[in-house]
PDB file of all heavy atoms in Angstrom:
ATOM      1  N   CYS R   4    -151.836  85.445 135.177  1.00 38.00           N
ATOM      2  CA  CYS R   4    -150.378  85.418 135.286  1.00 38.00           C
ATOM      3  C   CYS R   4    -149.892  86.461 136.272  1.00 38.00           C
ATOM      4  O   CYS R   4    -150.333  87.599 136.238  1.00 38.00           O
ATOM      5  CB  CYS R   4    -149.742  85.682 133.925  1.00 38.00           C
ATOM      6  SG  CYS R   4    -150.103  84.423 132.713  1.00 38.00           S
ATOM      7  N   LEU R   7    -144.454  89.382 137.928  1.00 33.00           N
ATOM      8  CA  LEU R   7    -143.271  89.476 138.770  1.00 33.00           C
ATOM      9  C   LEU R   7    -142.903  88.135 139.386  1.00 33.00           C
ATOM     10  O   LEU R   7    -141.731  87.808 139.491  1.00 33.00           O
ATOM     11  CB  LEU R   7    -143.482  90.528 139.864  1.00 33.00           C
ATOM     12  CG  LEU R   7    -143.713  91.949 139.342  1.00 33.00           C
ATOM     13  CD1 LEU R   7    -144.017  92.889 140.503  1.00 33.00           C
ATOM     14  CD2 LEU R   7    -142.503  92.434 138.583  1.00 33.00           C
ATOM     15  N   ARG R  12    -151.506  80.458 136.307  1.00 40.00           N
ATOM     16  CA  ARG R  12    -152.418  79.394 136.711  1.00 40.00           C
ATOM     17  C   ARG R  12    -153.815  79.748 136.234  1.00 40.00           C
ATOM     18  O   ARG R  12    -154.191  80.914 136.203  1.00 40.00           O
ATOM     19  CB  ARG R  12    -152.398  79.194 138.214  1.00 40.00           C
ATOM     20  CG  ARG R  12    -152.793  80.412 139.008  1.00 40.00           C
ATOM     21  CD  ARG R  12    -152.673  80.178 140.507  1.00 40.00           C
ATOM     22  NE  ARG R  12    -152.820  81.417 141.222  1.00 40.00           N
ATOM     23  CZ  ARG R  12    -153.974  82.020 141.473  1.00 40.00           C
ATOM     24  NH1 ARG R  12    -155.096  81.480 141.074  1.00 40.00           N
ATOM     25  NH2 ARG R  12    -154.019  83.155 142.126  1.00 40.00           N
ATOM     26  N   ILE R  15    -160.453  78.987 137.883  1.00 38.00           N
ATOM     27  CA  ILE R  15    -161.662  78.220 137.624  1.00 38.00           C
ATOM     28  C   ILE R  15    -162.671  78.513 138.730  1.00 38.00           C
ATOM     29  O   ILE R  15    -162.354  78.444 139.907  1.00 38.00           O
ATOM     30  CB  ILE R  15    -161.378  76.699 137.595  1.00 38.00           C
ATOM     31  CG1 ILE R  15    -160.211  76.360 136.671  1.00 38.00           C
ATOM     32  CG2 ILE R  15    -162.630  75.910 137.248  1.00 38.00           C
ATOM     33  CD1 ILE R  15    -160.498  76.569 135.211  1.00 38.00           C
ATOM     34  N   LEU R  17    -166.308  77.834 140.827  1.00 38.00           N
ATOM     35  CA  LEU R  17    -166.912  76.609 141.358  1.00 38.00           C
ATOM     36  C   LEU R  17    -167.777  75.914 140.308  1.00 38.00           C
ATOM     37  O   LEU R  17    -167.924  74.706 140.319  1.00 38.00           O
ATOM     38  CB  LEU R  17    -167.743  76.931 142.598  1.00 38.00           C
ATOM     39  CG  LEU R  17    -166.930  77.410 143.806  1.00 38.00           C
ATOM     40  CD1 LEU R  17    -167.874  77.785 144.937  1.00 38.00           C
ATOM     41  CD2 LEU R  17    -165.960  76.335 144.245  1.00 38.00           C
ATOM     42  N   ASN R  52    -156.571  93.323 106.158  1.00 93.00           N
ATOM     43  CA  ASN R  52    -155.215  93.816 106.341  1.00 93.00           C
ATOM     44  C   ASN R  52    -154.199  93.015 105.535  1.00 93.00           C
ATOM     45  O   ASN R  52    -153.326  93.591 104.885  1.00 93.00           O
ATOM     46  CB  ASN R  52    -154.875  93.802 107.832  1.00 93.00           C
ATOM     47  CG  ASN R  52    -153.717  94.711 108.128  1.00 93.00           C
ATOM     48  OD1 ASN R  52    -152.594  94.237 108.184  1.00 93.00           O
ATOM     49  ND2 ASN R  52    -153.983  95.991 108.293  1.00 93.00           N
ATOM     50  N   GLY R  62    -147.137  94.666  93.929  1.00 87.00           N
ATOM     51  CA  GLY R  62    -147.030  95.498  92.740  1.00 87.00           C
ATOM     52  C   GLY R  62    -148.010  95.112  91.651  1.00 87.00           C
ATOM     53  O   GLY R  62    -147.945  95.620  90.530  1.00 87.00           O
ATOM     54  N   LEU R  70    -153.763 102.606  97.264  1.00 94.00           N
ATOM     55  CA  LEU R  70    -154.170 103.569  98.294  1.00 94.00           C
ATOM     56  C   LEU R  70    -155.667 103.842  98.234  1.00 94.00           C
ATOM     57  O   LEU R  70    -156.333 103.924  99.260  1.00 94.00           O
ATOM     58  CB  LEU R  70    -153.422 104.894  98.127  1.00 94.00           C
ATOM     59  CG  LEU R  70    -152.018 104.981  98.656  1.00 94.00           C
ATOM     60  CD1 LEU R  70    -151.501 106.410  98.545  1.00 94.00           C
ATOM     61  CD2 LEU R  70    -151.916 104.492 100.074  1.00 94.00           C
ATOM     62  N   ALA R  74    -158.015 102.981 101.373  1.00 95.00           N
ATOM     63  CA  ALA R  74    -158.754 104.072 102.012  1.00 95.00           C
ATOM     64  C   ALA R  74    -160.252 103.940 101.784  1.00 95.00           C
ATOM     65  O   ALA R  74    -161.046 104.138 102.708  1.00 95.00           O
ATOM     66  CB  ALA R  74    -158.240 105.417 101.487  1.00 95.00           C
ATOM     67  N   VAL R  85    -170.480 103.903 111.948  1.00 89.00           N
ATOM     68  CA  VAL R  85    -171.152 105.145 112.346  1.00 89.00           C
ATOM     69  C   VAL R  85    -172.657 104.996 112.194  1.00 89.00           C
ATOM     70  O   VAL R  85    -173.430 105.336 113.096  1.00 89.00           O
ATOM     71  CB  VAL R  85    -170.634 106.351 111.518  1.00 89.00           C
ATOM     72  CG1 VAL R  85    -171.510 107.576 111.716  1.00 89.00           C
ATOM     73  CG2 VAL R  85    -169.192 106.658 111.889  1.00 89.00           C
ATOM     74  N   HIS R  95    -163.608 107.284 109.138  1.00 86.00           N
ATOM     75  CA  HIS R  95    -164.014 107.820 107.835  1.00 86.00           C
ATOM     76  C   HIS R  95    -163.381 109.180 107.586  1.00 86.00           C
ATOM     77  O   HIS R  95    -163.177 109.572 106.436  1.00 86.00           O
ATOM     78  CB  HIS R  95    -165.540 107.900 107.739  1.00 86.00           C
ATOM     79  CG  HIS R  95    -166.184 108.735 108.796  1.00 86.00           C
ATOM     80  ND1 HIS R  95    -166.184 108.379 110.138  1.00 86.00           N
ATOM     81  CD2 HIS R  95    -166.834 109.918 108.736  1.00 86.00           C
ATOM     82  CE1 HIS R  95    -166.805 109.298 110.841  1.00 86.00           C
ATOM     83  NE2 HIS R  95    -167.210 110.251 110.015  1.00 86.00           N
ATOM     84  N   GLY R  99    -160.662 109.187 104.940  1.00 95.00           N
ATOM     85  CA  GLY R  99    -161.252 110.038 103.911  1.00 95.00           C
ATOM     86  C   GLY R  99    -160.232 111.012 103.339  1.00 95.00           C
ATOM     87  O   GLY R  99    -160.198 111.262 102.123  1.00 95.00           O
ATOM     88  N   LEU R 107    -157.102 112.542  94.012  1.00 96.00           N
ATOM     89  CA  LEU R 107    -156.628 113.779  93.378  1.00 96.00           C
ATOM     90  C   LEU R 107    -155.134 113.746  93.049  1.00 96.00           C
ATOM     91  O   LEU R 107    -154.610 114.694  92.463  1.00 96.00           O
ATOM     92  CB  LEU R 107    -156.929 114.983  94.280  1.00 96.00           C
ATOM     93  CG  LEU R 107    -158.406 115.264  94.560  1.00 96.00           C
ATOM     94  CD1 LEU R 107    -158.556 116.445  95.511  1.00 96.00           C
ATOM     95  CD2 LEU R 107    -159.173 115.489  93.261  1.00 96.00           C
ATOM     96  N   ASP R 108    -154.464 112.680  93.430  1.00 93.00           N
ATOM     97  CA  ASP R 108    -153.033 112.516  93.190  1.00 93.00           C
ATOM     98  C   ASP R 108    -152.228 113.666  93.796  1.00 93.00           C
ATOM     99  O   ASP R 108    -151.373 114.255  93.153  1.00 93.00           O
ATOM    100  CB  ASP R 108    -152.757 112.379  91.684  1.00 93.00           C
ATOM    101  CG  ASP R 108    -151.352 111.855  91.393  1.00 93.00           C
ATOM    102  OD1 ASP R 108    -150.670 111.426  92.344  1.00 93.00           O
ATOM    103  OD2 ASP R 108    -150.932 111.901  90.221  1.00 93.00           O
ATOM    104  N   TYR R 111    -149.124 115.518  99.235  1.00 95.00           N
ATOM    105  CA  TYR R 111    -149.177 116.148 100.553  1.00 95.00           C
ATOM    106  C   TYR R 111    -150.500 115.853 101.269  1.00 95.00           C
ATOM    107  O   TYR R 111    -150.542 115.737 102.489  1.00 95.00           O
ATOM    108  CB  TYR R 111    -148.930 117.663 100.467  1.00 95.00           C
ATOM    109  CG  TYR R 111    -149.809 118.391  99.482  1.00 95.00           C
ATOM    110  CD1 TYR R 111    -151.048 118.880  99.858  1.00 95.00           C
ATOM    111  CD2 TYR R 111    -149.393 118.564  98.160  1.00 95.00           C
ATOM    112  CE1 TYR R 111    -151.863 119.535  98.941  1.00 95.00           C
ATOM    113  CE2 TYR R 111    -150.195 119.217  97.243  1.00 95.00           C
ATOM    114  CZ  TYR R 111    -151.430 119.696  97.635  1.00 95.00           C
ATOM    115  OH  TYR R 111    -152.234 120.326  96.729  1.00 95.00           O
ATOM    116  N   LEU R 118    -150.749 110.492 108.143  1.00 96.00           N
ATOM    117  CA  LEU R 118    -150.469 110.976 109.503  1.00 96.00           C
ATOM    118  C   LEU R 118    -151.723 110.928 110.380  1.00 96.00           C
ATOM    119  O   LEU R 118    -151.646 110.573 111.557  1.00 96.00           O
ATOM    120  CB  LEU R 118    -149.896 112.387 109.452  1.00 96.00           C
ATOM    121  CG  LEU R 118    -148.492 112.506 108.862  1.00 96.00           C
ATOM    122  CD1 LEU R 118    -148.105 113.972 108.685  1.00 96.00           C
ATOM    123  CD2 LEU R 118    -147.478 111.767 109.711  1.00 96.00           C
ATOM    124  N   PHE R 133    -151.542  98.325 125.851  1.00 92.00           N
ATOM    125  CA  PHE R 133    -150.803  97.679 126.933  1.00 92.00           C
ATOM    126  C   PHE R 133    -151.720  96.962 127.922  1.00 92.00           C
ATOM    127  O   PHE R 133    -151.246  96.390 128.901  1.00 92.00           O
ATOM    128  CB  PHE R 133    -149.929  98.706 127.663  1.00 92.00           C
ATOM    129  CG  PHE R 133    -148.858  99.270 126.775  1.00 92.00           C
ATOM    130  CD1 PHE R 133    -148.985 100.534 126.235  1.00 92.00           C
ATOM    131  CD2 PHE R 133    -147.744  98.510 126.455  1.00 92.00           C
ATOM    132  CE1 PHE R 133    -148.001 101.050 125.401  1.00 92.00           C
ATOM    133  CE2 PHE R 133    -146.760  99.010 125.617  1.00 92.00           C
ATOM    134  CZ  PHE R 133    -146.890 100.284 125.085  1.00 92.00           C
ATOM    135  N   THR R 146    -164.149  88.199 123.040  1.00 96.00           N
ATOM    136  CA  THR R 146    -163.377  87.055 123.516  1.00 96.00           C
ATOM    137  C   THR R 146    -161.892  87.387 123.545  1.00 96.00           C
ATOM    138  O   THR R 146    -161.460  88.394 122.981  1.00 96.00           O
ATOM    139  CB  THR R 146    -163.593  85.842 122.588  1.00 96.00           C
ATOM    140  OG1 THR R 146    -163.086  86.176 121.283  1.00 96.00           O
ATOM    141  CG2 THR R 146    -165.061  85.457 122.501  1.00 96.00           C
ATOM    142  N   LEU R 158    -151.567  96.862 115.231  1.00 96.00           N
ATOM    143  CA  LEU R 158    -150.119  96.936 115.011  1.00 96.00           C
ATOM    144  C   LEU R 158    -149.781  96.820 113.530  1.00 96.00           C
ATOM    145  O   LEU R 158    -148.937  97.555 113.009  1.00 96.00           O
ATOM    146  CB  LEU R 158    -149.407  95.854 115.817  1.00 96.00           C
ATOM    147  CG  LEU R 158    -149.401  96.057 117.324  1.00 96.00           C
ATOM    148  CD1 LEU R 158    -148.891  94.808 118.039  1.00 96.00           C
ATOM    149  CD2 LEU R 158    -148.572  97.273 117.702  1.00 96.00           C
ATOM    150  N   SER R 159    -150.458  95.908 112.845  1.00 96.00           N
ATOM    151  CA  SER R 159    -150.216  95.742 111.415  1.00 96.00           C
ATOM    152  C   SER R 159    -150.661  96.968 110.624  1.00 96.00           C
ATOM    153  O   SER R 159    -149.994  97.396 109.683  1.00 96.00           O
ATOM    154  CB  SER R 159    -150.942  94.489 110.904  1.00 96.00           C
ATOM    155  OG  SER R 159    -150.690  94.310 109.528  1.00 96.00           O
ATOM    156  N   LEU R 161    -150.750 100.047 111.745  1.00 96.00           N
ATOM    157  CA  LEU R 161    -149.780 101.099 112.006  1.00 96.00           C
ATOM    158  C   LEU R 161    -148.537 100.891 111.142  1.00 96.00           C
ATOM    159  O   LEU R 161    -148.035 101.840 110.523  1.00 96.00           O
ATOM    160  CB  LEU R 161    -149.415 101.146 113.496  1.00 96.00           C
ATOM    161  CG  LEU R 161    -148.471 102.270 113.919  1.00 96.00           C
ATOM    162  CD1 LEU R 161    -149.061 103.642 113.596  1.00 96.00           C
ATOM    163  CD2 LEU R 161    -148.169 102.155 115.412  1.00 96.00           C
ATOM    164  N   GLN R 163    -148.461  99.331 108.346  1.00 95.00           N
ATOM    165  CA  GLN R 163    -148.899  99.600 106.981  1.00 95.00           C
ATOM    166  C   GLN R 163    -148.849 101.098 106.681  1.00 95.00           C
ATOM    167  O   GLN R 163    -148.366 101.517 105.628  1.00 95.00           O
ATOM    168  CB  GLN R 163    -150.312  99.060 106.790  1.00 95.00           C
ATOM    169  CG  GLN R 163    -150.817  99.046 105.378  1.00 95.00           C
ATOM    170  CD  GLN R 163    -152.209  98.455 105.324  1.00 95.00           C
ATOM    171  OE1 GLN R 163    -153.161  99.111 105.707  1.00 95.00           O
ATOM    172  NE2 GLN R 163    -152.309  97.222 104.867  1.00 95.00           N
ATOM    173  N   VAL R 176    -141.132 113.295  97.522  1.00 77.00           N
ATOM    174  CA  VAL R 176    -140.236 114.300  98.084  1.00 77.00           C
ATOM    175  C   VAL R 176    -138.795 114.045  97.692  1.00 77.00           C
ATOM    176  O   VAL R 176    -138.086 114.965  97.290  1.00 77.00           O
ATOM    177  CB  VAL R 176    -140.400 114.360  99.632  1.00 77.00           C
ATOM    178  CG1 VAL R 176    -139.445 115.376 100.226  1.00 77.00           C
ATOM    179  CG2 VAL R 176    -141.826 114.684  99.999  1.00 77.00           C
TER     180      VAL R 176
END
Side-chain angles (χ1 to χ4, degrees):
C4 296
L7 298 176
R12 60 183 170 78
I15 309 291
L17 293 176
N52 199 264
L70 280 187
V85 168
H95 58 293
L107 297 178
D108 195 10
Y111 52 88
L118 291 172
F133 295 103
T146 63
L158 290 170
S159 181
L161 184 59
Q163 190 178 75
V176 178

